[in-house]
Amino acid sequence: MKPLNKRPLGRPPVQQEGLPTSKHILFNASKLFMEKGFESVSMNEVAKQTGVTKATVYYYFPTKTDLFVASMIEVLSRVDERIRVLLEQPGSFYNRLIHVATNYLKVPQVHMDGMLEKVKHHLTIEQHQQLIAHENALFQRLQEGFNSASKNNEIVCDNPVLAAHIFVSMLKVGERKYTDDEKLFASPEEAAEGIVSFLWRGIHK
């Protein structure tokens, strides 16, 4: 008697948003992981948020770690593409940085570096390297933006790598909260303007 095999995936079912089931799961899982962190999210919670059974989540992602890695790669890929689009928009590099900063600050998130530190003992070496590679791609994208602006004589920047890392570090300050009701900046737009304006004083020609 032949052992039972899983049903072939074939053409995956599609959810209301037009995403295949696997992508729909990743979309909801990524939001939960970014808002709550790895430890606080369960497969059952992801299933409920997605509107599927827990068995369906396990069908596509055998372990919570597999789901986490896949969803974070999905997030980083989306962010990378968004940054690419924003940096290719017409207008000044200053305004493009404002748009990048505003988009970043509008997304509730647990920072990738802190999250990776907490979850790395769950990851294989390969999984950890995959996440680091996708995170580094974001810095590479920003580095290319600073380098291009420098070549176009919009800014003075002899170290685009350092500029990209400083920019991201400054964006983290933009999310600073003292209490639930008291923030360093009143809105993402205000934070983006303040941060880019401060950075601009050091790189503008």
Side-chain angles (χ1 to χ4, degrees):
M1 183 176 177
K2 291 184 179 180
L4 293 175
N5 293 321
K6 281 185 175 180
R7 174 181 60 82
L9 284 180
R11 188 173 181 177
V14 176
Q15 300 290 334
Q16 288 183 347
E17 287 82 354
L19 296 174
T21 298
S22 59
K23 290 286 188 180
H24 195 61
I25 291 170
L26 289 178
F27 176 78
N28 286 285
S30 65
K31 289 200 301 183
L32 289 169
F33 283 129
M34 295 296 278
E35 290 170 359
K36 302 173 68 172
F38 177 79
E39 298 291 349
S40 299
V41 177
S42 69
M43 298 291 265
N44 191 52
E45 186 177 9
V46 172
K48 287 183 177 180
Q49 186 77 12
T50 308
V52 299
T53 65
K54 186 163 65 172
T56 300
V57 177
Y58 277 112
Y59 181 85
Y60 290 101
F61 306 99
T63 69
K64 179 178 165 181
T65 303
D66 291 327
L67 177 59
F68 172 79
V69 172
S71 63
M72 290 300 99
I73 287 175
E74 184 78 4
V75 167
L76 291 169
S77 297
R78 289 202 307 265
V79 172
D80 183 42
E81 175 61 15
R82 184 61 178 155
I83 291 174
R84 182 192 68 77
V85 170
L86 291 172
L87 289 177
E88 290 179 356
Q89 294 296 306
S92 69
F93 185 58
Y94 180 91
N95 286 333
R96 295 198 296 274
L97 282 182
I98 290 284
H99 291 314
V100 170
T102 303
N103 274 260
Y104 176 96
L105 292 164
K106 283 184 176 179
V107 180
Q109 55 193 295
V110 178
H111 293 300
M112 188 62 65
D113 49 1
M115 187 155 30
L116 280 180
E117 186 63 29
K118 292 179 181 178
V119 78
K120 67 180 181 181
H121 63 281
H122 293 287
L123 305 177
T124 65
I125 293 175
E126 182 181 1
Q127 287 173 327
H128 189 261
Q129 289 175 340
Q130 282 181 316
L131 289 174
I132 293 298
H134 279 80
E135 186 180 21
N136 287 341
L138 301 184
F139 288 103
Q140 177 68 29
R141 183 75 65 187
L142 288 169
Q143 175 189 333
E144 291 169 359
F146 280 100
N147 190 47
S148 177
S150 179
K151 288 182 177 179
N152 291 334
N153 292 317
E154 288 189 79
I155 61 173
V156 177
C157 182
D158 58 2
N159 193 335
V161 177
L162 180 60
H165 281 271
I166 288 174
F167 179 54
V168 172
S169 295
M170 291 176 73
L171 290 178
K172 295 178 182 180
V173 176
E175 297 174 325
R176 174 69 179 173
K177 293 175 67 174
Y178 300 108
T179 65
D180 288 340
D181 299 321
E182 187 180 4
K183 301 177 182 179
L184 181 59
F185 296 100
S187 68
E189 290 80 7
E190 181 184 310
E193 183 68 44
I195 289 167
V196 174
S197 176
F198 189 88
L199 175 67
W200 199 250
R201 294 172 203 155
I203 62 175
H204 185 234
K205 291 199 74 170

